[in-house]
Amino acid sequence: MKILMLGWELPPHNSGGLGVACYHLCKALAKRDIDIEFILPYHAPFEEDFMTVTAAHPQGAKVVLANASAYDSYKYVFDDGHEEWIDIVGQQAIYEHAVAKMVDSREFDVIHAHDWLTFRAGVRAKMKRNVPLILHVHSVERDRAGGADGNPVVREIEETSFLMADRIVAVSQLTKDAIIRDYGIPADKIEVVHNSIDHDAFLALDGNNAYRYLTEMKAQGYRVITNVGRLTVQKGLTNFIKAAQQVVMREPKTIFLIVGSGEQYFELIELAADLGIAKNVIFTGFQRGKNWRDSFAIADLFCMPSVSEPFGIAPLESIGFGTPTLISKQSGVKEVLTNSLKVDFWDINEMANQITAVVQNDALRDELQANAHRELERMSWDTTADKLHGIYRQHTEGVPA
Amino acid sequence: MSKAIVLYLHVHQPYRVRHYTIFDAGTDHEYFTAPYDDRTSNERIVHKVAEKSYIPTNKRLLELLKDHPEFKLSLSITGTVLEQLEKWAPEALKSFQELTATGRVEIVAETYHHSLAFFYSREEFETQVRMHREKVEELFGQTPTVFRNTELAYNNDLAYWADQAGYKGVLAEGWDKVLGWRSPNFVYRPTHTENIKLLMKNYKLSDDIAFRFGDQSWEGWPLTADKFAHWLNETPDATNFNLFMDYETFGEHQWHETGIFDFLKHLPDQWLKKEGNSFMTVSEACDSIEPKDEVDTPYTVTWADTERDLSAWLGNSMQSSAITALYELQGPILASGDWQLIEDWRRLQTSDHFYYMCTKYFNDGDIHAYFSPYENPYDAFIAFMNAYHDVVFRLSTKGARV
């Protein structure tokens, strides 16, 4: 079976979870006699051979260079030598036209497109070649806008594409509900297929934890609560810092570690200082590699207080690195993770209550982690790939859903 | 009526904290050592400022002192800059020593670490004042008799302290809200004091030189020595013109091209042309001029910004959190007996660290940004707090309860 996979990012050149999810999904699918050609909007080296990765770029463009973040402007270098920086909406239009050209010379059985940036390209490809279109929804516009309506242009692209699709895959029931609610799509057109976790990522690293200061403080009886992720409104960190203040009032020997960068960076630093807990909140900026892993490993509890999290892979990573979790009830991952503390993102008192409980009880921490880890061991991208494979077959073999 | 110019220049360099991360905390304790090319490299900055400002300016000041036996000035030089000159620019230090060797350059007392300790710990403040006095005695062979607090931060309490400590005089900003209808061009007595005198900066005349000198859109431009002397002579009722400014005015804030050195060179001639005019050091002004009135300063004034308060250092919660956290460590730090640790803690008290965290003009990209080696106040705060965390780490590994 041949799949035309339309995606916006792949590791290592990705800005968030979307690229990672696409990568593991494709890797697991490729074990099942499925040929994948993955079309990216930019040139990036891809060294593995389980699928073909191709760059879609407009006629006359020699090379397309992505910035550090996949959601910035890209630089297009044209054959005649001139260069242009093109914004995100412009890029998705260019991508659509480039993909529309590419599909003329290719054979494939299913088009599988990931998130709004590739949806119009998917619809065009379906219209030209009359091949089933599956839209994979990792987030909708309301998620990315932190609960607000968001960009109407993006919502329009999402809505028309949802209507045109043969099938929609949502990464969680939460996301499926959002598609029904925000776009009026019938429930039976939408399939929930949860993301999973790559166990190879948890191989032990050598050496001491990179946070020597925190290691020393823990030996002094301090406890460490961490958050790893982008510092954006969607992630609910304002409430997290407010909860932190309540925790520190009761348990002064608590340190909050905030790992990541984003547009709320300055604001959160000031908030922590305003609330009088500057000493207890450490901002590390963006980290990768060992520092990133050790940010989970050093902690007694990982918190994901997101306002809206269609799935949210970070808590699974945390459990893999040995640290139990507190997650918001507004996250998709809560549907697959039983052994986690769970709070509403807006319930600051309850968040503080639960964090304090972990700070005060190592037994609670250890029990949560042991049970969560057993859950984690049962998760696999193979399960995700099996479900997707089933959906492909329904649309290629004429078996009704 | 005789009139004196009281010229006082402030010389200071902090130990800037390098880009110091939480991963450095507990690993290396070299907060004040950056790669040479880094914006926070103290060694590079001292090399640059010695070459661009201290050495050429001192050369000109020395010439002036030789050419004009009546020319005098006062300097405040912090312990942190003196140390750095000893290490990295001994030639510049020597040029300061040559100035004081004339007997007409007086050093003003202050805290060794250019700190705001007066407002947080009187014990620590007095230690730093003593450290500075000993350093000045060692390097310049004189004992300061007039006191200036960091950033000219001044209030009645400070005047009382300086009076009790035996100083002849204390320096302050001649801010209108404190002076009221009065002029800064006299010597005053702080309320609730017995002997001490108060010299208040004439900020208008001082800023004409320090800030406006090279500004071609300023109505006073170009400012020549005879024009300036004329302004002073035309001021009817005055005994002393307190011109207080950063030393770096000469050659750094006002570049050589503005003609600032020519101004300085000709000022003594133009000023001394008129009989009765003189130059005085700060202690001479205190000795020879009687106080005109009492000045009451119940709240703190400084020489910074339009607010003339401590808000540039302590105005936001990052600044107040950072400084409070630092002073909370005083007990265990001093009890540790670890002199390197104590010294690092003191270096973190330097007011510049808190100035770099100032957000009130961050968006204007003004003077605060110009003086900061950090990209923004948040980076300054994070580097400082990580250094603070390392100090806590060091205390902890010594068995202190933290």
Side-chain angles (χ1 to χ4, degrees):
Chain A
M1 193 186 299
K2 286 188 161 151
I3 309 296
L4 183 73
M5 194 77 75
L6 305 178
W8 205 253
E9 56 176 27
L10 276 181
H13 208 112
N14 62 287
S15 78
L18 176 60
V20 176
C22 287
Y23 173 88
H24 290 297
L25 206 73
C26 291
K27 197 170 178 180
L29 281 168
K31 292 187 217 160
R32 286 161 180 74
D33 192 27
I34 294 173
D35 291 334
I36 301 166
E37 185 175 7
F38 198 105
I39 315 287
L40 276 177
Y42 57 86
H43 294 267
F46 188 78
E47 278 159 15
E48 293 176 74
D49 57 5
F50 62 80
M51 64 178 172
T52 310
V53 176
T54 314
H57 52 83
Q59 209 170 13
K62 201 159 48 179
V63 64
V64 180
L65 299 166
N67 245 337
S69 159
Y71 299 99
D72 280 341
S73 298
Y74 287 1
K75 184 161 87 172
Y76 287 72
V77 183
F78 290 88
D79 287 340
D80 61 9
H82 90 279
E83 297 176 358
E84 253 179 76
W85 287 91
I86 297 178
D87 73 9
I88 194 79
V89 175
Q91 285 164 42
Q92 68 84 30
I94 287 171
Y95 182 80
E96 177 195 342
H97 290 294
V99 169
K101 266 201 120 45
M102 293 168 83
V103 296
D104 290 341
S105 58
R106 281 167 168 78
E107 291 303 323
F108 45 87
D109 303 303
V110 171
I111 307 157
H112 186 164
H114 297 270
D115 270 6
W116 76 273
L117 285 157
T118 69
F119 283 176
R120 269 179 33 174
V123 170
R124 274 287 285 279
K126 173 188 159 73
M127 280 161 43
K128 285 186 86 167
R129 299 297 305 274
N130 196 25
V131 166
L133 170 65
I134 295 170
L135 298 182
H136 201 131
V137 184
H138 299 261
S139 66
V140 291
E141 183 61 3
R142 187 184 292 279
D143 298 314
R144 292 181 297 264
D149 286 346
N151 184 338
V153 174
V154 174
R155 284 181 72 111
E156 194 213 348
I157 291 171
E158 288 181 332
E159 185 173 353
T160 52
S161 306
F162 290 154
L163 294 170
M164 297 288 288
D166 293 276
R167 204 63 170 274
I168 298 167
V169 171
V171 293
S172 62
Q173 183 64 41
L174 188 80
T175 302
K176 177 174 176 172
D177 294 344
I179 296 167
I180 297 167
R181 183 191 64 229
D182 288 1
Y183 302 92
I185 304 297
D188 60 6
K189 191 173 177 177
I190 310 166
E191 206 70 42
V192 174
V193 180
H194 289 112
N195 287 341
S196 192
I197 189 76
D198 173 37
H199 295 273
D200 292 346
F202 303 128
L203 299 174
L205 284 185
D206 290 339
N208 294 326
N209 192 286
Y211 293 95
R212 285 203 56 192
Y213 167 72
L214 294 179
T215 307
E216 171 68 21
M217 291 299 102
K218 286 186 77 165
Q220 286 263 6
Y222 281 74
R223 292 291 176 266
V224 176
I225 313 297
T226 191
N227 172 273
V228 182
R230 272 180 304 125
L231 309 187
T232 66
V233 179
Q234 184 194 339
K235 300 295 181 182
L237 295 167
T238 304
N239 288 348
F240 182 55
I241 304 246
K242 288 178 180 167
Q245 183 198 29
Q246 294 193 22
V247 175
V248 171
M249 261 163 41
R250 287 168 187 79
E251 294 294 332
K253 288 191 165 186
T254 311
I255 295 172
F256 290 82
L257 183 66
I258 313 267
V259 181
S261 56
E263 79 271 359
Q264 275 198 307
Y265 190 46
F266 294 168
E267 179 186 328
L268 294 170
I269 292 170
E270 285 189 313
L271 178 62
D274 287 344
L275 297 178
I277 53 169
K279 277 194 302 192
N280 301 73
V281 186
I282 292 170
F283 291 89
T284 70
F286 180 79
Q287 299 296 334
R288 60 174 84 238
K290 179 167 164 57
N291 288 356
W292 173 79
R293 295 181 54 148
D294 286 352
S295 308
F296 293 101
I298 193 72
D300 296 283
L301 182 71
F302 170 88
C303 292
M304 186 181 73
S306 301
V307 172
S308 171
E309 194 72 63
F311 187 76
I313 204 127
L316 302 182
E317 292 172 325
S318 177
I319 293 160
F321 293 131
T323 301
T325 58
L326 181 154
I327 61 182
S328 83
K329 291 180 181 170
Q330 290 68 35
S331 68
V333 71
K334 73 149 196 253
E335 297 160 20
V336 298
L337 182 60
T338 311
N339 291 285
S340 172
L341 301 176
K342 294 174 187 178
V343 293
D344 287 306
F345 76 88
W346 43 261
D347 196 344
I348 295 167
N349 290 341
E350 186 54 23
M351 205 185 295
N353 175 40
Q354 298 199 12
I355 295 170
T356 307
V358 173
V359 169
Q360 292 173 338
N361 298 285
D362 289 354
L364 170 60
R365 175 195 67 191
D366 298 343
E367 191 62 26
L368 261 176
Q369 170 59 16
N371 295 322
H373 198 261
R374 275 192 283 279
E375 280 189 87
L376 188 78
E377 282 174 336
R378 291 195 294 271
M379 296 179 191
S380 164
W381 282 104
D382 286 332
T383 317
T384 311
D386 285 341
K387 283 186 189 163
L388 282 172
H389 195 188
I391 294 168
Y392 292 162
R393 276 203 306 263
Q394 287 167 12
H395 288 274
T396 52
E397 294 167 6
V399 182
Chain B
M1 189 179 191
S2 59
K3 294 173 179 171
I5 288 179
V6 183
L7 177 64
Y8 150 67
L9 307 177
H10 173 55
V11 188
H12 168 60
Q13 295 295 332
Y15 281 104
R16 295 160 194 83
V17 176
R18 72 169 163 95
H19 176 71
Y20 187 81
T21 72
I22 193 65
F23 302 101
D24 297 317
T27 305
D28 87 70
H29 313 310
E30 303 294 324
Y31 335 129
F32 307 110
T33 309
Y36 190 79
D37 292 330
D38 196 86
R39 283 171 75 184
T40 56
S41 166
N42 296 304
E43 184 176 357
R44 185 182 57 79
I45 291 167
V46 163
H47 281 164
K48 183 179 137 226
V49 74
E51 187 192 340
K52 209 172 148 193
S53 176
Y54 299 157
I55 292 170
T57 302
N58 282 348
K59 188 162 163 271
R60 288 181 172 88
L61 289 171
L62 191 62
E63 283 166 11
L64 275 175
L65 288 158
K66 282 182 176 156
D67 294 347
H68 303 278
E70 303 90 343
F71 180 63
K72 290 168 185 174
L73 76 153
S74 308
L75 291 175
S76 59
I77 314 185
T78 62
T80 55
V81 68
L82 286 171
E83 269 180 20
Q84 295 185 66
L85 294 178
E86 283 180 299
K87 267 186 286 191
W88 297 317
E91 197 190 338
L93 177 62
K94 194 163 150 271
S95 69
F96 280 111
Q97 289 167 325
E98 283 166 358
L99 293 185
T100 56
T102 64
R104 286 178 280 136
V105 176
E106 178 179 323
I107 307 286
V108 179
E110 64 182 315
T111 58
Y112 189 97
H113 293 88
H114 198 260
S115 73
L116 296 169
F118 182 78
F119 304 100
Y120 290 88
S121 166
R122 195 60 61 83
E123 179 196 352
E124 175 63 15
F125 169 75
E126 290 183 351
T127 303
Q128 291 181 16
V129 173
R130 188 169 63 247
M131 287 173 74
H132 183 257
R133 184 177 66 234
E134 285 165 4
K135 191 79 177 170
V136 169
E137 285 168 349
E138 173 202 330
L139 292 177
F140 299 104
Q142 56 171 280
T143 302
T145 57
V146 172
F147 189 80
R148 62 89 64 180
N149 197 16
T150 306
E151 316 297 355
L152 286 201
Y154 173 87
N155 58 27
N156 287 340
D157 288 344
L158 183 86
Y160 182 80
W161 174 85
D163 191 32
Q164 295 295 308
Y167 288 101
K168 285 179 185 175
V170 58
L171 309 184
E173 175 74 13
W175 187 226
D176 306 83
K177 286 174 184 167
V178 177
L179 278 165
W181 54 272
R182 293 166 293 200
S183 149
N185 304 329
F186 295 99
V187 171
Y188 290 97
R189 163 143 303 143
T191 50
H192 318 299
T193 62
E194 290 163 17
N195 302 306
I196 200 164
K197 290 171 183 171
L198 173 62
L199 299 178
M200 305 190 81
K201 171 182 162 183
N202 184 318
Y203 68 83
K204 194 194 157 297
L205 289 171
S206 300
D207 292 351
D208 284 344
I209 300 170
F211 297 130
R212 290 182 280 273
F213 187 86
D215 178 4
Q216 302 200 7
S217 63
W218 173 45
E219 58 186 10
W221 189 88
L223 182 60
T224 58
D226 67 328
K227 186 195 278 186
F228 192 75
H230 178 70
W231 289 349
L232 268 49
N233 285 325
E234 288 299 291
T235 306
D237 198 20
T239 54
N240 47 292
F241 296 101
N242 300 326
L243 305 180
F244 298 175
M245 62 199 75
D246 277 333
Y247 177 100
E248 289 85 0
T249 297
F250 301 98
E252 182 87 1
H253 306 168
Q254 300 296 337
W255 293 349
H256 186 270
E257 291 73 23
T258 62
I260 189 81
F261 287 112
D262 285 333
F263 172 84
L264 200 56
K265 186 177 168 195
H266 292 108
L267 185 62
D269 276 338
Q270 295 298 331
W271 175 240
L272 296 169
K273 266 200 309 207
K274 188 172 173 197
E275 197 169 341
N277 286 358
S278 66
F279 287 90
M280 285 185 186
T281 65
V282 288
S283 70
E284 284 177 331
C286 293
D287 283 337
S288 59
I289 305 172
E290 279 307 303
K292 188 85 171 171
D293 193 5
E294 274 198 2
V295 169
D296 182 19
T297 316
Y299 49 85
T300 306
V301 286
T302 71
W303 67 357
D305 301 344
T306 49
E307 293 91 347
R308 297 298 202 285
D309 57 16
L310 283 167
S311 60
W313 297 274
L314 306 173
N316 72 39
S317 51
M318 292 190 289
Q319 296 169 309
S320 55
S321 303
I323 199 166
T324 306
L326 192 67
Y327 281 103
E328 277 171 1
L329 297 180
Q330 177 174 321
I333 287 278
L334 296 180
S336 76
D338 177 339
W339 287 103
Q340 189 56 52
L341 179 58
I342 293 169
E343 178 55 26
D344 286 349
W345 175 69
R346 292 198 162 125
R347 287 180 185 181
L348 289 172
Q349 293 179 39
T350 299
S351 67
D352 305 57
H353 302 305
F354 309 103
Y355 196 74
Y356 301 145
M357 301 174 197
C358 179
T359 47
K360 60 180 174 170
Y361 302 114
F362 177 45
N363 295 324
D364 304 342
D366 77 335
I367 189 160
H368 292 260
Y370 174 78
F371 288 113
S372 175
Y374 303 96
E375 265 179 48
N376 58 61
Y378 308 94
D379 285 355
F381 174 72
I382 288 173
F384 181 92
M385 288 308 286
N386 287 333
Y388 161 83
H389 289 311
D390 185 71
V391 168
V392 172
F393 174 91
R394 290 159 73 183
L395 275 177
S396 174
T397 53
K398 290 179 156 300
R401 285 171 54 96
V402 288

